[in-house]
């Protein structure tokens, strides 16, 4: 399990807010000196999550339903 350091969490929030995405995968490169932001992916790592047995399609569909249909009814 990877614990996200507070400074990385802050950087993640800044990037997501700047991009204005609701769902995004962020890639970082780590080395002995820290980390660097590499890229943002709108597909949010489907292949990687699926290989771990996580149903991303279901998670995203539930998110959309809860945000746009549940709140409006």
């Amino acid at each position: 399990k990877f614990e996200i350091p507070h400074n990385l969490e802050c950087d993640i929030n800044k990037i997501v807010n700047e991009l204005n995405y609701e769902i995004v995968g962020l890639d970082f490169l780590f080395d002995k000196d820290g980390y660097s932001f590499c890229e943002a992916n709108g597909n949010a790592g489907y292949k990687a999550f699926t290989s771990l047995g996580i149903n991303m399609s279901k998670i995203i569909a539930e998110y959309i339903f809860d945000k746009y249909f549940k709140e409006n009814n």
Side-chain angles (χ1 to χ4, degrees):
K1 182 177 176 180
F2 177 74
E3 295 290 331
I4 298 174
H6 180 71
N7 60 329
L8 176 56
E9 184 177 351
C10 291
D11 287 345
I12 289 168
N13 287 324
K14 287 178 191 174
I15 293 167
V16 169
N17 289 332
E18 185 68 28
L19 293 173
N20 199 28
Y21 285 160
E22 290 188 53
I23 300 170
V24 63
L26 300 178
D27 293 346
F28 291 86
L29 302 174
F30 295 87
D31 63 19
K32 62 180 174 39
D33 298 320
Y35 61 88
S36 299
F37 171 65
C38 181
E39 65 180 348
N41 300 294
N43 65 0
Y46 267 74
K47 189 174 183 177
F49 285 114
T50 301
S51 71
L52 296 171
I54 299 170
N55 186 342
M56 285 302 295
S57 296
K58 181 180 178 198
I59 292 169
I60 291 171
E62 288 172 348
Y63 171 81
I64 291 168
F65 178 80
D66 289 347
K67 179 159 179 125
Y68 294 102
F69 296 102
K70 230 179 183 178
E71 291 179 2
N72 294 325
N73 291 324

